[in-house]
Amino acid sequence: TAIVCGTWAVSAQNPIRVYNSVTIDRSDCSSLSKIILHLPYCESNDYQYVENHRFGPQGQVRTTDEDQRYIWLKNTNFTNLPGQITYTDTFDFISTHFVRNLDSITTLYPYDPTSEEILWFTGTEDVYVTPQNPVIDSLADLIWGQSSNILDFTRRSYEYVASHLTYQNPNTGLHSIADIITDGGGDCGNFASFYISILRNKGIPARHVIGFSPYNGNDMHIWAEFYLQGYGWIPADPTYKNSDPNGDYFGRYDYSYCIAGKGINHSYYVDGQYQNISLLQLFSYWYWYTSSCNNINFYREVAYDNLYHITGVPEDTTFGNVTGSGYYVPGEVGSLEAISAHGYIFSHWSN
């Protein structure tokens, strides 16, 4: 189905039912007393239609400080439960492909300084988006001087990032802008961060779009989108442009990812407190135990159901792009150890 509306041309893909699961193996942690798990909450937006979420009685939909919704699950009763516990978010999903006809935009409007887009998506995001970095500042001035207007600047910036950064270090998480500059590149999330930093330097709202494939659990992607007053959010993917220099990935979306969230470095509720998580693409977790706990493992799988039979093969993405921490309960004493896995930090307390 194709729809043309103003500056939009949209087509919808075949509907599927998605099963996004995390399995917790507590076989070597008999004293486990509490688990808190965060899952991304895919919801309807420009990129997709989503409905009929089902994630069990222990789950709640919560909202971050920037209106990012996520699934919060807590379990404190493990009596009569097996050694492996699986939590699944099931939902119906249709991906949309769309093209913004940017050539039809003849009038650009000034930004509303009181809008959420300006307040939330023009500033610094920890070390991951730093619009005032000296290198970013120089590049933004250079590109701005070559541009005829804001829209031209966003396109030229997209082309600059795609042609000047090197794709490297995939699946290592978000890096600081300083590290991206030193390394000369990064993976998709870091391409997006660099592009977003340039746009925000000139007061243009921009943010990350975070996705995972319902067809392949190992396929994840991040791109960017920027905001034009009066026209809304417009996608731009400098990573795909880097890999396909002759392709057009500006103002269009041709993928089939479940959008897990928009923006980074949100504040998520844990258990009576909030904690910033740089990126919730797959899941994050915390666990507590009361005595010895040799090990606890988390496994993430995704599958899909088409025409009422399973056609997607679950992909094991153990410890891929996740964040988590565990706590020893009595007094929470001991040494805090940090373990690096795919660039994300896990931590646990031990005696």
Side-chain angles (χ1 to χ4, degrees):
T1 302
I3 302 171
V4 178
C5 181
T7 61
W8 290 83
V10 182
S11 62
Q13 309 306 300
N14 293 328
I16 61 173
R17 179 159 293 169
V18 179
Y19 304 86
N20 189 30
S21 301
V22 174
T23 296
I24 300 169
D25 186 349
R26 62 186 186 98
S27 303
D28 292 331
C29 189
S30 59
S31 68
L32 183 67
S33 59
K34 180 168 57 178
I35 287 176
I36 291 178
L37 180 69
H38 292 166
L39 292 173
Y41 184 81
C42 298
E43 56 186 322
S44 295
N45 52 42
D46 295 342
Y47 301 93
Q48 61 197 12
Y49 300 100
V50 181
E51 60 181 8
N52 297 328
H53 272 277
R54 297 169 294 278
F55 42 79
Q58 295 162 316
Q60 301 176 18
V61 177
R62 290 180 174 265
T63 305
T64 69
D65 50 339
E66 293 179 348
D67 281 347
Q68 177 67 58
R69 297 214 284 177
Y70 61 99
I71 299 171
W72 180 88
L73 301 108
K74 177 180 178 180
N75 195 347
T76 58
N77 183 4
F78 302 95
T79 304
N80 299 323
L81 291 181
Q84 291 189 343
I85 310 166
T86 299
Y87 301 93
T88 301
D89 175 28
T90 303
F91 55 91
D92 299 335
F93 171 81
I94 301 176
S95 179
T96 62
H97 295 179
F98 64 82
V99 178
R100 297 297 304 268
N101 183 11
L102 301 179
D103 292 337
S104 69
I105 297 178
T106 58
T107 303
L108 294 173
Y109 303 99
Y111 288 112
D112 175 3
T114 65
S115 68
E116 292 179 350
E117 289 78 18
I118 291 292
L119 296 175
W120 288 349
F121 301 112
T122 55
T124 297
E125 300 276 6
D126 199 359
V127 298
Y128 310 112
V129 176
T130 56
Q132 304 309 317
N133 176 283
V135 173
I136 295 294
D137 194 48
S138 297
L139 286 175
D141 285 347
L142 174 66
I143 300 170
W144 186 263
Q146 301 168 346
S147 305
S148 58
N149 55 38
I150 287 177
L151 184 56
D152 187 36
F153 174 77
T154 60
R155 180 184 285 276
R156 288 177 181 270
S157 299
Y158 147 84
E159 293 172 347
Y160 180 93
V161 173
S163 61
H164 285 77
L165 293 189
T166 300
Y167 185 85
Q168 58 188 4
N169 303 321
N171 301 321
T172 57
L174 294 179
H175 299 182
S176 70
I177 291 296
D179 285 345
I180 296 171
I181 292 169
T182 299
D183 296 339
D187 65 2
C188 58
N190 298 298
F191 269 65
S193 295
F194 202 81
Y195 177 64
I196 290 165
S197 294
I198 293 175
L199 267 57
R200 290 191 184 186
N201 179 272
K202 295 305 179 185
I204 301 171
R207 63 189 180 187
H208 298 73
V209 183
I210 302 157
F212 66 85
S213 171
Y215 305 100
N216 179 349
N218 291 316
D219 183 6
M220 296 162 286
H221 190 45
I222 299 175
W223 59 99
E225 60 181 13
F226 61 91
Y227 185 78
L228 284 184
Q229 191 75 40
Y231 300 99
W233 290 95
I234 297 172
D237 193 337
T239 308
Y240 271 40
K241 181 68 172 177
N242 171 268
S243 62
D244 179 19
N246 294 322
D248 183 10
Y249 305 98
F250 185 82
R252 63 188 303 134
Y253 176 74
D254 294 321
Y255 323 141
S256 297
Y257 291 103
C258 293
I259 309 305
K262 296 185 178 184
I264 61 169
N265 206 38
H266 296 302
S267 180
Y268 294 86
Y269 181 75
V270 178
D271 193 32
Q273 61 181 335
Y274 288 83
Q275 179 168 332
N276 277 8
I277 298 176
S278 61
L279 183 65
L280 181 60
Q281 190 168 27
L282 300 182
F283 66 96
S284 62
Y285 68 88
W286 293 260
Y287 66 92
W288 289 255
Y289 53 94
T290 56
S291 56
S292 62
C293 183
N294 293 328
N295 196 23
I296 185 167
N297 293 311
F298 291 74
Y299 306 88
R300 184 254 182 178
E301 296 178 339
V302 64
Y304 70 97
D305 190 359
N306 192 11
L307 300 178
Y308 302 102
H309 64 278
I310 297 296
T311 55
V313 179
E315 299 285 346
D316 182 358
T317 55
T318 306
F319 291 136
N321 283 26
V322 300
T323 59
S325 54
Y327 300 92
Y328 177 64
V329 174
E332 294 188 342
V333 296
S335 60
L336 181 65
E337 302 176 18
I339 304 170
S340 176
H342 294 280
Y344 288 76
I345 300 301
F346 301 79
S347 58
H348 65 273
W349 288 96
S350 59
N351 261 346

